[in-house]
Structures are given as structure tokens and as C-alpha cells.
Amino acid sequence: MISVSGYQIEQILYQNARYAYYQAIRSDTGAKAIIKSIPSTSSVLKDVTRFKHEYDILRNLNIPGVIQMEAKIDHAKGMALVIKEFDADPLAEILKRERLDVSEALRIALSL
């Protein structure tokens, strides 16, 4: 488990070799957030660059259905992106459960 200043980590949501996702609470406001962390043990330059690029792109987008970035934070075990919590299922999960019709797929593609 990681420790990120200003956030209380509640639980791990998902982890693979490159990233970990945590459910967290912002200490000052009590707002929920998702923390995406890249561990320092796997922080090769390519991964760190990709992580920073993801933050730079997403922090400037304001599209319904696309995650919103709150902060990019360095911590003792690596780097973390703080994502405002959202009430939606990831597209990958939706696609595992059902097949989208053409109009819905086009609507999503155009919004991205």
C-alpha cells in the first residue's frame, strides 16, 4: 500500500505490473478520489514519461464521460495521479458485459 500526502488510502481497486489503482479520501474535504500509482521499482523512463503525458492530456479535457485529473503527486514509492472519483463503469468493463450497437460506439468515439 502507498502513502500519498493529503489522501487517506481506503483500498486497492486494481493492480498489475505497471500500475495500481486505489480508492482514497481527500483529507481536507472528505471528497472521494481514485489514485493511479506507478511504483518506483518499475519507473523506467518510458513509463514515467507516459504517465506524465497522460496527466497533461487529461487535466485539460472537459468531456462528459472522460475522467478528470485532480493532481500529479510524487510520493515515497513513486508517482501518483489523483483522479476525481466518478460514478461510471470503465469502458473495458462495459465491453466485457455487452456489445455496443453502432450508434453507441460512434457516440463514444466522437466524444473522445
Side-chain angles (χ1 to χ4, degrees):
M1 197 75 80
I2 63 169
S3 175
V4 177
S5 179
Y7 295 87
Q8 177 184 345
I9 305 296
E10 291 191 316
Q11 66 176 335
I12 188 162
L13 298 172
Y14 173 79
Q15 185 172 8
N16 64 24
R18 298 175 111 181
Y19 305 110
Y21 292 84
Y22 301 91
Q23 185 173 24
I25 300 286
R26 192 171 163 153
S27 301
D28 59 350
T29 64
K32 292 184 177 184
I34 304 295
I35 305 234
K36 180 180 181 181
S37 179
I38 182 170
S40 59
T41 56
S42 68
S43 296
V44 294
L45 182 59
K46 182 179 176 182
D47 289 339
V48 171
T49 302
R50 182 180 295 134
F51 208 64
K52 289 178 180 179
H53 186 68
E54 177 181 350
Y55 173 76
D56 289 338
I57 289 172
L58 290 173
R59 74 184 171 121
N60 294 314
L61 290 181
N62 189 13
I63 300 172
V66 175
I67 61 172
Q68 295 180 342
M69 290 292 165
E70 212 170 276
K72 178 177 63 177
I73 300 172
D74 292 319
H75 60 84
K77 294 184 179 179
M79 185 184 302
L81 300 180
V82 180
I83 303 164
K84 291 181 183 178
E85 182 157 59
F86 51 93
D87 187 25
D89 291 332
L91 181 58
E93 291 299 317
I94 294 170
L95 293 175
K96 286 179 186 176
R97 291 191 313 258
E98 63 188 86
R99 185 175 178 161
L100 299 179
D101 62 41
V102 174
S103 63
E104 183 68 8
L106 285 174
R107 186 190 66 74
I108 292 170
L110 290 172
S111 70
L112 295 174

